[in-house]
Amino acid sequence: NFDVNSELVPSWGSGAIPPSAAPDVVGAFRLICSAGHLGYDDPIVYPGQPGKSHLHQFFGNLAVNANSTYDSLRTTGASTCTSPLNRSAYWMPAMLNDKSQVIRPDYVTIYYKRRPKTDPLCAKIGKACVDLPRGLRFIFGRNMLDLTAKSTGGGYFNCDGTGAIPGHYKDLPTAQANCPVTARVGAVISAPECWDGKNLDSADHRSHVAYSAYIGQSYAQCPATHPYVIPTFTMGAWYSQGAVAEPWHLSSDVMPDGMIMTAGTSFHADWWGAWDDGVMKMWHDNCIDKLLNCSGGDLGNGKQMKMFAGFSWSAMPRVVPKP
């Protein structure tokens, strides 16, 4: 419901085509997001039930709420994920300090990747490599509806910046102990790459998608029940430690009965795709299927998504009260 071309500019000012991703075997499409709004809503788990969820930090579509649908996401809302050409909704538990204030991320990296459709391994990993279906949605990471279930997505915490000791840390206390106030803590998690080819959602919001696994071959395979290889994405939310070290936790670490999990061990994320169809086809056809190394919303065809006005690499403000 707006002029798509108004949100496209010549890539990097010149219309340059990005380089090949080879020797990597996957095409890459990357973009940057900023923190969006906060809310106690989850339109996937608790549709039509405002305030039912723990506090979430949203990225992308600014109009997402408990009543959101695919149609509402596609037709309403500005976006903090580069441009409203990407009205997809991404969200995760809010990061809190020991004063129950919200720590907003400085920025969020989104990295889509998949083998090109012409790669012969697509027919061995599953049946075929396919594009993301319109309106797909899912949850990945710790299963808050079944805490005994194994976490998915390989979620971990990292540290980057001056004095950082990078690593794949399983919880926030360990990550923060290796991350001085001059650095940023990263919460990193990867979405599933295998789809059943039929459902855009499922009762547990997970079973219609799956992860590949090594089962004896030199490459990971999708389960026979989920034979379609879709672009996965890795999401990384990066938070400045601040001038004074203080312990953090995720909003979901606090259980309804008051029990508190080890900080960060409830890490999970939600995604509801709502890309502009034409633009999604551009990055599938060019960045992914031509095995290009696209970054910054570069669509691989000489065009680039225009970054929204007011973008900053630092959260302003960094700390806000809980709503």
Side-chain angles (χ1 to χ4, degrees):
N1 57 354
F2 60 87
D3 180 11
V4 169
N5 289 323
S6 69
E7 289 292 323
L8 297 176
V9 295
S11 52
W12 309 109
S14 65
I17 303 299
S20 170
D24 202 344
V25 296
V26 296
F29 174 66
R30 302 178 184 86
L31 62 145
I32 298 293
C33 305
S34 292
H37 58 295
L38 296 158
Y40 294 92
D41 291 350
D42 190 324
I44 294 179
V45 180
Y46 300 115
Q49 301 178 70
K52 179 78 171 177
S53 174
H54 52 254
L55 183 62
H56 281 120
Q57 173 68 70
F58 290 89
F59 323 114
N61 196 311
L62 286 170
V64 63
N65 58 40
N67 297 310
S68 291
T69 64
Y70 174 68
D71 287 341
S72 74
L73 292 175
R74 284 284 292 110
T75 56
T76 60
S79 177
T80 68
C81 283
T82 306
S83 163
L85 295 170
N86 180 14
R87 279 174 162 158
S88 302
Y90 310 76
W91 63 98
M92 61 176 282
M95 188 74 75
L96 303 172
N97 62 18
D98 56 352
K99 304 176 186 66
S100 291
Q101 298 169 312
V102 176
I103 310 295
R104 298 172 70 241
D106 287 330
Y107 59 87
V108 182
T109 58
I110 306 290
Y111 172 15
Y112 289 91
K113 58 186 177 180
R114 195 205 64 209
R115 289 176 181 266
K117 291 176 182 175
T118 54
D119 189 324
L121 273 181
C122 286
K124 296 181 179 181
I125 296 171
K127 284 186 177 180
C129 292
V130 300
D131 294 348
L132 285 168
R134 301 169 78 242
L136 183 67
R137 53 197 181 273
F138 48 71
I139 305 172
F140 51 111
R142 190 70 182 266
N143 188 341
M144 302 308 295
L145 301 179
D146 181 5
L147 293 175
T148 64
K150 183 180 178 182
S151 292
T152 60
Y156 65 94
F157 299 94
N158 198 355
C159 183
D160 179 66
T162 304
I165 303 176
H168 282 54
Y169 303 116
K170 293 183 179 181
D171 56 55
L172 278 166
T174 308
Q176 288 192 277
N178 290 282
C179 206
V181 295
T182 51
R184 289 186 176 99
V185 171
V188 184
I189 193 167
S190 295
E193 70 272 28
C194 306
W195 176 48
D196 67 9
K198 301 175 183 178
N199 299 294
L200 300 178
D201 197 5
S202 51
D204 63 357
H205 315 295
R206 295 169 179 262
S207 298
H208 57 304
V209 288
Y211 289 82
S212 60
Y214 290 93
I215 50 174
Q217 292 87 350
S218 60
Y219 53 88
Q221 278 189 298
C222 287
T225 52
H226 298 73
Y228 295 96
V229 186
I230 56 175
T232 181
F233 66 86
T234 298
M235 183 180 84
W238 291 89
Y239 304 79
S240 291
Q241 280 271 66
V244 179
E246 56 185 359
W248 295 351
H249 65 278
L250 296 173
S251 60
S252 51
D253 291 335
V254 182
M255 300 290 98
D257 63 2
M259 183 188 79
I260 301 176
M261 303 171 66
T262 301
T265 55
S266 67
F267 185 23
H268 62 281
D270 300 51
W271 176 74
W272 195 332
W275 278 91
D276 174 86
D277 292 334
V279 169
M280 186 165 70
K281 180 173 172 55
M282 287 180 193
W283 63 258
H284 275 114
D285 289 353
N286 296 292
C287 300
I288 302 297
D289 285 330
K290 292 182 181 178
L291 196 63
L292 300 182
N293 186 14
C294 299
S295 60
D298 186 338
L299 298 166
N301 59 354
K303 298 179 180 179
Q304 187 174 12
M305 297 164 60
K306 183 170 65 177
M307 179 59 79
F308 70 90
F311 170 77
S312 171
W313 287 101
S314 298
M316 296 183 292
R318 174 182 163 270
V319 180
V320 297
K322 282 202 301 185

